[in-house]
Amino acid sequence: MKAGNEIMKAGYVLINASGLDLLSESTQTIAGLYDKCKAAMATGKMIIAENIIWGDDGVISPIPVFAIDMGSTYGIYLTASTLQIRVSPSNVVTIVNMAPAN
């Protein structure tokens, strides 16, 4: 498989999200998360995020995400279903639900 001129690598890479809460409505700081995302993207493999929680319900199963590097101003955006996980270069994480309001 090719993406542009690069050969895709089989397999996957795990990102330990260190307790990131997907239901949080306020920002979270997750030490080292930006660098983990950057390194995962550099592998050219599918990315799976683990050690993520769903509010008071606790840890959820690992989730596949796709990642886009939006540059040094915005950071890396991980997307899973309707959730966009925005990770700034300073490891500040904002969760944005992209689903339309009812």
Side-chain angles (χ1 to χ4, degrees):
M1 302 170 89
K2 290 186 175 185
N5 293 329
E6 297 180 25
I7 296 175
M8 298 291 288
K9 297 177 183 169
Y12 61 90
V13 61
L14 294 172
I15 294 175
N16 181 346
S18 303
L20 175 68
D21 184 356
L22 291 182
L23 291 184
S24 179
E25 293 182 4
S26 57
T27 61
Q28 304 166 70
T29 300
I30 307 291
L33 187 57
Y34 178 83
D35 287 339
K36 291 176 191 178
C37 293
K38 193 90 167 162
M41 289 181 71
T43 68
K45 296 181 179 187
M46 180 176 75
I47 300 171
I48 298 177
E50 63 180 353
N51 195 10
I52 295 174
I53 63 172
W54 190 259
D56 293 336
D57 292 328
V59 176
I60 62 174
S61 64
I63 55 173
V65 298
F66 65 86
I68 302 169
D69 189 339
M70 301 298 284
S72 61
T73 301
Y74 298 105
I76 295 174
Y77 289 8
L78 306 173
T79 303
S81 186
T82 63
L83 298 180
Q84 195 172 71
I85 304 162
R86 299 177 179 179
V87 184
S88 77
S90 60
N91 298 304
V92 175
V93 182
T94 305
I95 308 295
V96 178
N97 191 342
M98 306 293 281
N102 289 337

